[in-house]
Amino acid sequence: MSEKPRHSRLAGAGVALLGAAAAFLSLGGRSGNAFLLRPPGAGEPQRFLSRCLRCGACAKACPYGSIRMDETGLAGGELGTPVILPRQKPCYLCADLPCVKACPSGALDAQLRDAKKARMGTAVILEREECLSLKGLRCEVCYRNCPLIEKAVTVENYLNARTGRHAVYEPVIHKEHCTGCGICEHSCILDRPAIRVGELQPESENLYEG
Amino acid sequence: MKARGWSRARRCVQLSVVALLASQLAGGGFFRGTLSASTLLGIPLADPLAALQLMLLGVSPTAHLLLGVALVSGFYLLLGGKSFCGWVCPVHLLTDLLERFPGRESLPRLPLKWKLGSLGLCLALTPVLGLPVFEALSPIGALGRAIGAGALSGAGLVLLILVAELFFARRLWCRSLCPLGAIYSGLGRLSPLRVAFEEKRCTGCRRCQKNCLVPEVLEPCIGDKKSRVRSGECSRCGSCIDACPTRALQMSIHKTVEKKEVIS
């Protein structure tokens, strides 16, 4: 048949395309992309990516509309996976964890029963020069808004070396309690938030306090 | 005169599925998810290929997945396997509409069996990449998210398919590439729901084949006078029944399991 050569050429193109797609997926997956804030119970990025069916049930279950489905591209196999953008809407740590309950595949771990035990990431004051509290002003908005106030964020005061006579009230994040919900990042009054949720920082082995 | 009954019914079902997906945008709570996995009126539904990939990744299936896969597989096992493609899948709806463009006849149709290859490739790559590969690339999922969540990040995949079908080959994705289609084609081979052929009524006009999306499945009937369409590739869309002027074709239920008479 006259279609034969065309078939084989198309077959070659198809295989090449699939191969390229596979290479693209694997390449992106290994290159350690920028941190993506996932819904509660997602755990390690690789664990989550291997279980998520990209169905969007978590996003639909979220009463605040915090979970978005269109923030990731094809690279790393992340297309259509759920992401929280704290600056737009953080995770409000619903007590009944509707997103986790909605997940059909267990990608959001159903073992997580207490939202306050979620470990989505760890908040860090990334821009210390910009943080108003660190400049000596009584901002502390992140501290006041933290759902785990006095646990995940405390305020430590010390002498303001700049003036020599005032105090600095520094918000200090305690990673062993921080859920990574992003409410602090959301509430930071600066245009570019000084405090941001990043990769989960493992708890220290030898804590000086419980 | 050409009847429209099956074609109309099918289009209604296809549009209902789109409406069901879109109901999520309007905040309707009765359906949640995509065709990969969802909850309909509290009933879990899940795609067998999605579950298969998770198994290959060593993930123990949840109750949702187990029940969902059982319900979905059972449903399509009874109702024709690839009826999923013809009646439910929104990508198929788009490629259906594409087939209405003029000048489609000049484009080739590629082999149906290729999708077994893409199924194999998906399943082989899944443990290697540590990802459910089809879910990460699926245009069906991407379209579902676009309709249900307004998430357009995967729309390019769907567009790619439409462009490829417009210029290179007719119904390239659904016929030859979709790994999910390969799964449902397997179920369709075992399904009791068949298009039956009555040789006495056939005039050999072949209008059925002209209207069929997978014309080769009718060949054993028209050519070799088999009494029903045996191929799993038949999507039970009913276009052939509508097209037949002498009512030689009917949708029917066969109680006996088909003997091994696999056609390609």
Side-chain angles (χ1 to χ4, degrees):
Chain A
M1 279 218 302
S2 60
E3 281 176 26
K4 266 273 149 66
R6 197 163 179 182
H7 276 188
S8 52
R9 235 181 313 155
L10 270 163
V15 169
L17 208 72
L18 272 170
F24 195 45
L25 287 177
S26 57
L27 216 73
R30 305 281 179 276
S31 66
N33 284 329
F35 172 74
L36 292 170
L37 185 57
R38 303 293 189 183
E44 289 280 303
Q46 208 50 50
R47 175 207 171 270
F48 178 68
L49 280 178
S50 70
R51 285 166 169 79
C52 175
L53 294 179
R54 287 82 168 153
C55 74
C58 54
K60 288 297 161 192
C62 177
Y64 299 99
S66 303
I67 305 173
R68 312 188 47 132
M69 301 302 294
D70 56 351
E71 294 304 318
T72 45
L74 208 55
E78 284 163 354
L79 180 69
T81 50
V83 171
I84 295 171
L85 302 178
R87 254 332 233 189
Q88 290 176 20
K89 279 224 177 94
C91 170
Y92 288 102
L93 299 177
C94 306
D96 56 343
L97 290 163
C99 52
V100 177
K101 283 192 186 135
C103 180
S105 67
L108 303 180
D109 193 350
Q111 306 265 340
L112 180 69
R113 299 268 158 75
D114 180 0
K116 300 211 153 96
K117 296 234 161 72
R119 292 292 176 268
M120 294 173 265
T122 304
V124 178
I125 298 184
L126 207 64
E127 307 220 21
R128 295 183 63 86
E129 292 94 339
E130 307 297 329
C131 173
L132 295 183
S133 294
L134 282 167
K135 282 182 174 169
L137 297 168
R138 295 298 308 268
C139 171
E140 298 144 39
V141 167
C142 51
Y143 163 76
R144 295 280 165 210
N145 280 289
C146 178
L148 284 114
I149 183 167
E150 279 304 314
K151 275 185 165 167
V153 190
T154 55
V155 168
E156 314 294 328
N157 62 341
Y158 49 84
L159 182 72
N160 185 337
R162 189 167 55 87
T163 65
R165 48 155 76 176
H166 302 93
V168 168
Y169 288 77
E170 177 179 353
V172 176
I173 297 118
H174 302 277
K175 60 185 178 184
E176 66 274 20
H177 291 298
C178 178
T179 60
C181 68
I183 292 175
C184 53
E185 181 176 336
H186 180 74
S187 61
C188 181
I189 66 163
L190 298 174
D191 287 341
R192 217 155 53 113
I195 187 164
R196 287 178 217 171
V197 179
E199 199 180 320
L200 182 72
Q201 301 299 322
E203 283 182 35
S204 313
E205 293 293 322
N206 50 347
L207 291 172
Y208 62 92
E209 57 181 352
Chain B
M1 198 189 73
K2 194 179 162 185
R4 301 298 306 271
W6 284 101
S7 308
R8 280 214 182 114
R10 185 166 76 93
R11 196 66 87 220
C12 283
V13 173
Q14 284 176 316
L15 291 174
S16 309
V17 172
V18 172
L20 204 60
L21 287 164
S23 72
Q24 301 180 87
L25 270 185
F30 46 89
F31 180 84
R32 187 192 275 161
T34 63
L35 295 181
S36 300
S38 60
T39 311
L40 174 61
L41 298 169
I43 303 163
L45 300 173
D47 158 28
L49 178 55
L52 196 59
Q53 289 169 93
L54 290 193
M55 273 173 58
L56 287 174
L57 288 164
V59 179
S60 51
T62 57
H64 184 124
L65 279 185
L66 285 175
L67 188 56
V69 168
L71 287 173
V72 168
S73 314
F75 182 80
Y76 291 112
L77 188 64
L78 284 178
L79 292 181
K82 273 201 101 189
S83 46
F84 167 80
C85 309
W87 291 72
V88 172
C89 181
V91 173
H92 194 288
L93 173 62
L94 288 183
T95 60
D96 269 0
L97 299 176
L98 203 71
E99 280 295 292
R100 297 187 157 201
F101 272 54
R104 303 296 296 155
E105 287 75 14
S106 60
L107 289 177
R109 286 187 165 107
L110 299 186
L112 293 161
K113 277 187 172 165
W114 282 12
K115 58 183 173 302
L116 278 174
S118 57
L119 174 63
L121 204 59
C122 267
L123 295 180
L125 282 177
T126 288
V128 175
L129 299 179
L131 289 171
V133 171
F134 185 60
E135 305 317 309
L137 287 173
S138 165
I140 308 169
L143 194 53
R145 289 191 300 273
I147 300 170
L152 296 176
S153 53
L157 288 172
V158 182
L159 218 59
L160 194 71
I161 288 171
L162 293 180
V163 170
E165 299 199 353
L166 199 56
F167 295 109
F168 298 119
R170 296 180 73 176
R171 306 193 60 256
L172 172 66
W173 172 259
C174 302
R175 274 180 65 92
S176 309
L177 294 180
C178 180
L180 191 53
I183 297 247
Y184 282 121
S185 157
L187 285 181
R189 200 165 283 174
L190 305 170
S191 177
L193 186 75
R194 302 272 162 175
V195 171
F197 173 67
E198 212 176 321
E199 190 197 336
K200 287 189 300 240
R201 287 171 178 255
C202 178
T203 61
C205 73
R206 292 192 182 255
R207 278 182 214 173
C208 50
Q209 275 187 310
K210 283 194 194 84
N211 281 276
C212 180
L213 294 168
V214 201
E216 49 269 65
V217 305
L218 283 163
E219 197 51 48
C221 294
I222 318 296
D224 300 340
K225 313 296 178 201
K226 299 278 190 246
S227 66
R228 62 200 137 180
V229 174
R230 287 161 197 262
S231 170
E233 293 291 338
C234 169
S235 69
R236 278 72 164 174
C237 73
S239 301
C240 55
I241 302 171
D242 281 352
C244 181
T246 57
R247 297 193 180 176
L249 295 158
Q250 292 292 329
M251 202 68 84
S252 68
I253 306 273
H254 291 265
K255 286 180 195 126
T256 51
V257 175
E258 299 291 334
K259 293 277 186 298
K260 272 185 194 165
E261 229 171 306
V262 179
I263 64 147
S264 54

